[in-house]
Amino acid sequence: CNKKGLTMNIRLIISLIIIALLAFCSCEKDRQVKFDLEYSTFTDNRDGYEYKTVTIDGTTWLAENFRYLPSVDGNDVDSVSFDGLRYYVYNYNGTNVNEAKATDEYKKYGVLYNYDAAIKSCPDGWRLPTMDDFQKLFKSINRTKYEGTYSHGQSLDYNTIIMMCGQRELWGLKDSGYDLLNVSGLDFVPGGVMKPEWNYDTYTGKDKELLDSVIFNDLGNSCLLWKKKKGQEKDYISAWRITYDSQYEQIDFDMRETLMQKVCGLSVRYVKD
């Protein structure tokens, strides 16, 4: 009787193992994460900072916000200017680079660059990502959901966005869910934006005059990233914006193109040439 019971137990164990293997194979076959991924590092020889990088289907991206800071701008100066190359650290209004680098905002989110600074500050062998780079990235990350060409104003699939976002605490994600968070290794974080203050014309509903003031917004709520514009560059450039609405119990991520003034300060992620 004991021998018979032992045999039945062995058969049961074998059956459970087979069921588990079949379930695993089914999950592997149907899983959304199907892209090639490779981690490495890159050191900027201008300041010696070592960046994490991730190569996704042959394209290498910085896996953290860029933080090269040759100078810093804010409100605590005699005259605020938005001309030329401009560098900002969220909520820092002085001009001392070492002080700016010592802030939590710099350590967590890096630097906010106006468009000209984003173009000029890239290290040798790197560049701002183009629309084609982002198109390839979206297709690589979630092939089961993303098809065709992305159009302006269209939001990406929720899972694709989650796969690109990292650092749960910076996004305010207290829920233990979001299993796909940052499986791409890109680690996008909500570093906010610097927007110049404008004199708003209530009659026309448009910005009327650029004022002498820097305004920081959306830290913890928005990740804004410059992309390289093709052709002639005007006052407004398309950027990528990831946002969530914390008013609801379930955080609703959203990513789409948005027009930004070139004088605004946004986060930067370079790709390798």
Side-chain angles (χ1 to χ4, degrees):
C1 182
N2 291 336
K3 184 176 181 181
K4 183 177 180 181
L6 180 62
T7 302
M8 292 180 64
N9 286 336
I10 292 174
R11 288 178 178 175
L12 177 61
I13 292 172
I14 292 173
S15 298
L16 291 174
I17 292 173
I18 292 173
I19 291 172
L21 287 173
L22 289 173
F24 174 79
C25 292
S26 176
C27 290
E28 282 293 293
K29 181 179 178 181
D30 297 332
R31 70 189 178 102
Q32 293 170 313
V33 184
K34 300 179 181 178
F35 47 89
D36 295 326
L37 202 63
E38 180 181 349
Y39 295 100
S40 187
T41 59
F42 158 75
T43 300
D44 189 344
N45 58 19
R46 293 171 296 185
D47 56 13
Y49 186 84
E50 184 179 80
Y51 292 89
K52 294 179 290 184
T53 67
V54 59
T55 301
I56 302 175
D57 285 349
T59 301
T60 301
W61 291 74
L62 289 183
E64 56 186 294
N65 286 354
F66 203 57
R67 57 183 63 238
Y68 172 63
L69 189 64
S71 63
V72 63
D73 299 278
N75 284 321
D76 296 342
V77 293
D78 292 335
S79 180
V80 173
S81 174
F82 300 103
D83 296 329
L85 311 184
R86 297 291 166 178
Y87 309 83
Y88 305 91
V89 172
Y90 198 97
N91 272 347
Y92 181 76
N93 284 303
T95 58
N96 188 296
V97 170
N98 290 330
E99 285 182 357
K101 287 184 174 182
T103 63
D104 287 340
E105 288 82 359
Y106 175 84
K107 296 173 182 177
K108 292 178 180 179
Y109 305 103
V111 174
L112 301 174
Y113 301 81
N114 70 6
Y115 184 75
D116 290 339
I119 291 292
K120 297 293 185 180
S121 297
C122 62
D124 292 340
W126 296 77
R127 57 177 173 77
L128 267 187
T130 64
M131 183 63 173
D132 290 340
D133 293 317
F134 278 104
Q135 295 274 16
K136 179 183 177 183
L137 175 65
F138 302 152
K139 292 178 182 178
S140 295
I141 288 178
N142 199 350
R143 293 188 178 97
T144 62
K145 296 292 184 181
Y146 181 85
E147 297 179 359
T149 302
Y150 187 92
S151 60
H152 182 74
Q154 172 190 357
S155 181
L156 285 175
D157 170 77
Y158 178 84
N159 285 337
T160 304
I161 303 168
I162 291 295
M163 290 184 208
M164 292 185 288
C165 294
Q167 302 194 43
R168 177 186 304 272
E169 67 282 1
L170 298 186
W171 283 104
L173 302 178
K174 299 179 181 179
D175 190 343
S176 60
Y178 305 98
D179 293 337
L180 294 177
L181 190 71
N182 200 33
V183 297
S184 69
L186 285 166
D187 206 18
F188 287 163
V189 293
V193 60
M194 186 292 296
K195 292 183 177 180
E197 184 177 7
W198 288 79
N199 179 11
Y200 190 71
D201 190 332
T202 56
Y203 180 75
T204 62
K206 297 181 179 180
D207 295 332
K208 185 177 181 181
E209 181 184 4
L210 186 63
L211 300 180
D212 193 29
S213 180
V214 165
I215 300 176
F216 296 101
N217 286 318
D218 295 332
L219 187 74
N221 294 307
S222 295
C223 167
L224 290 106
L225 302 168
W226 285 123
K227 72 179 180 68
K228 182 70 172 68
K229 178 177 172 59
K230 291 183 177 179
Q232 187 177 2
E233 297 159 0
K234 298 182 179 179
D235 291 339
Y236 286 82
I237 303 291
S238 289
W240 286 105
R241 182 180 190 129
I242 306 174
T243 59
Y244 80 87
D245 190 341
S246 59
Q247 294 181 353
Y248 300 96
E249 291 183 2
Q250 182 177 358
I251 294 174
D252 184 21
F253 278 86
D254 179 79
M255 183 176 186
R256 63 182 69 233
E257 272 192 290
T258 184
L259 284 176
M260 300 296 299
Q261 293 167 301
K262 292 174 63 177
V263 293
C264 290
L266 275 61
S267 299
V268 166
R269 296 294 185 99
Y270 293 118
V271 296
K272 197 170 184 179
D273 277 337

